[in-house]
Amino acid sequence: KMSGSIPRNINIKEPRWDQSTFAGRANHFFTVTDPRNLLLSDAQLENARKIVHDYRQGIVPRGLTEDELWRAKYIYDSAFHPDTGEKMVLIGRMSAQVPMNMTITGCMMTFYRTTPAVVFWQWINQSFNAVVNYTNRSGDAPITVSQLGTAYVSATTGAVATALGLNALTKSFKGRKILKKNGQSVLYFYPLFNRELKFGIPITDEKGNRLGESTKAAQQAIAQVVLSRVLMAAPGMAIPPFIMNALEKRAFLKRFPWMSAPIQVGLVGFCLVFATPLCCALFPQKSSMPVTSLEPELQAKIQKSHPRVERVYFNKGL
């Protein structure tokens, strides 16, 4: 029985802000990607999960405010997968995107002159991508160790080979320093998505009732995620090199050359602080599509069991 004074009908399964608008989604993702969430202890995460689960069951601690409930909801969302409910790997959480990407991208752009450096940082980058993709996958189907291993080896091998090819190619372009720095970084090779394309992702009706798994929904989800990731990385790889080229001509960096790397990492981080939530906000996380766009056999199944359903919904992942 409710014992607190906050409203009983708050839908904490959904974000606090209107997700039909870009501004609402941006507010939501600025909260989701807040790096400060990484500093929360296991006890704080468990407390947030208890508050959220209790509220869904109609139980509210005395004195809990609406703002505190929403704060608990966002702490819970930052650490637990929306479909499986499992606690996510720390570096795979969206709140780790800014500090991890600023470090990796900054290092990739700083240490690009030798083959061992290119190989090492591409391996680090794709290892991180593999963790992020697995952690933020859409759906709740289990992924085997074999599938994870295949995806990881394919991604790292493809990324390193492409990076080395671009590195060799750009040697013939005098003065194309920026291209050389960034070309080897713009790699989005996600074999982990193969499983979703093959078996589909869960789809539901508006009330959350599961209707099946759809490969068509997976195709839409993956396209949106890849576009968001590409645009998310672009400012951090395009803007800092121009600034660094200007700074390198000034006396300060000539006098303190060791400052080049930390300045570049800081510039990348500044770009990512804004690019990460704004690009995540390009598409609603709870995406949808008309039943008529699904696979024919799935359309027939839904029309037979749920004839009034015209649109289906799914978690597109991040």
Side-chain angles (χ1 to χ4, degrees):
K1 187 177 180 179
M2 291 279 184
S3 59
S5 58
I6 63 176
R8 303 184 179 199
N9 60 346
I10 299 173
N11 184 8
I12 56 171
K13 290 184 179 180
E14 301 295 333
R16 186 173 193 175
W17 295 276
D18 180 8
Q19 296 300 283
S20 66
T21 68
F22 177 76
R25 295 194 296 271
N27 277 322
H28 167 68
F29 282 110
F30 268 109
T31 305
V32 169
T33 61
D34 187 343
R36 291 175 297 180
N37 289 333
L38 294 175
L39 303 176
L40 298 171
S41 66
D42 286 341
Q44 288 173 303
L45 295 179
E46 289 301 324
N47 182 58
R49 181 165 72 165
K50 184 177 186 305
I51 290 173
V52 169
H53 284 192
D54 284 352
Y55 184 84
R56 290 173 180 171
Q57 299 299 317
I59 303 169
V60 181
R62 187 171 299 279
L64 183 74
T65 66
E66 185 172 350
D67 284 341
E68 289 171 342
L69 174 63
W70 281 113
R71 173 61 180 155
K73 177 256 192 311
Y74 274 100
I75 289 175
Y76 173 79
D77 286 353
S78 76
F80 297 90
H81 192 277
D83 290 328
T84 66
E86 67 183 17
K87 185 181 290 186
M88 296 184 287
V89 180
L90 185 69
I91 65 170
R93 300 173 191 172
M94 290 310 293
S95 47
Q97 285 290 293
V98 171
M100 289 298 296
N101 272 320
M102 68 179 284
T103 303
I104 294 172
T105 305
C107 289
M108 288 172 69
M109 293 167 65
T110 302
F111 307 109
Y112 66 95
R113 292 180 175 86
T114 66
T115 297
V118 171
V119 171
F120 177 76
W121 286 108
Q122 280 298 336
W123 171 67
I124 292 292
N125 184 43
Q126 291 305 323
S127 297
F128 173 64
N129 283 338
V131 173
V132 172
N133 290 335
Y134 173 75
T135 304
N136 296 282
R137 67 196 183 279
S138 60
D140 53 9
I143 298 175
T144 66
V145 174
S146 175
Q147 290 169 332
L148 276 176
T150 301
Y152 175 72
V153 172
S154 299
T156 51
T157 303
V160 169
T162 305
L164 291 175
L166 284 169
N167 209 42
L169 180 65
T170 54
K171 286 180 181 178
S172 62
F173 294 92
K174 292 183 179 180
R176 299 302 295 274
K177 191 175 183 180
I178 295 169
L179 176 61
K180 189 175 179 183
K181 283 182 178 179
N182 294 313
Q184 61 199 37
S185 303
V186 187
L187 299 164
Y188 287 86
F189 189 79
Y190 296 130
L192 189 62
F193 288 148
N194 286 344
R195 190 188 188 288
E196 297 177 357
L197 291 171
K198 184 177 181 180
F199 298 104
I201 58 176
I203 56 171
T204 69
D205 61 16
E206 193 173 8
K207 296 181 179 179
N209 299 310
R210 190 159 177 164
L211 303 175
E213 288 77 35
S214 170
T215 56
K216 293 288 187 181
Q219 291 170 13
Q220 178 175 310
I222 290 168
Q224 292 177 349
V225 168
V226 170
L227 178 59
S228 296
R229 294 275 188 93
V230 171
L231 295 177
M232 188 187 301
M237 292 188 295
I239 297 173
F242 285 101
I243 297 176
M244 291 305 299
N245 281 348
L247 291 177
E248 285 169 1
K249 297 174 183 177
R250 298 183 177 274
F252 178 76
L253 280 185
K254 290 180 179 178
R255 186 177 178 184
F256 303 104
W258 57 271
M259 285 293 293
S260 178
I263 290 175
Q264 188 150 247
V265 170
L267 289 171
V268 171
F270 180 79
C271 292
L272 286 170
V273 164
F274 298 97
T276 300
L278 293 177
C279 289
C280 283
L282 290 175
F283 306 100
Q285 186 170 355
K286 184 180 179 181
S287 194
S288 68
M289 64 193 309
V291 171
T292 53
S293 296
L294 298 172
E295 305 90 304
E297 62 274 14
L298 190 53
Q299 287 185 46
K301 176 185 173 183
I302 293 173
Q303 288 167 357
K304 183 178 179 180
S305 60
H306 299 79
R308 295 184 179 180
V309 174
E310 297 181 352
R311 251 189 128 67
V312 295
Y313 299 84
F314 51 92
N315 169 33
K316 73 171 179 65
L318 291 173

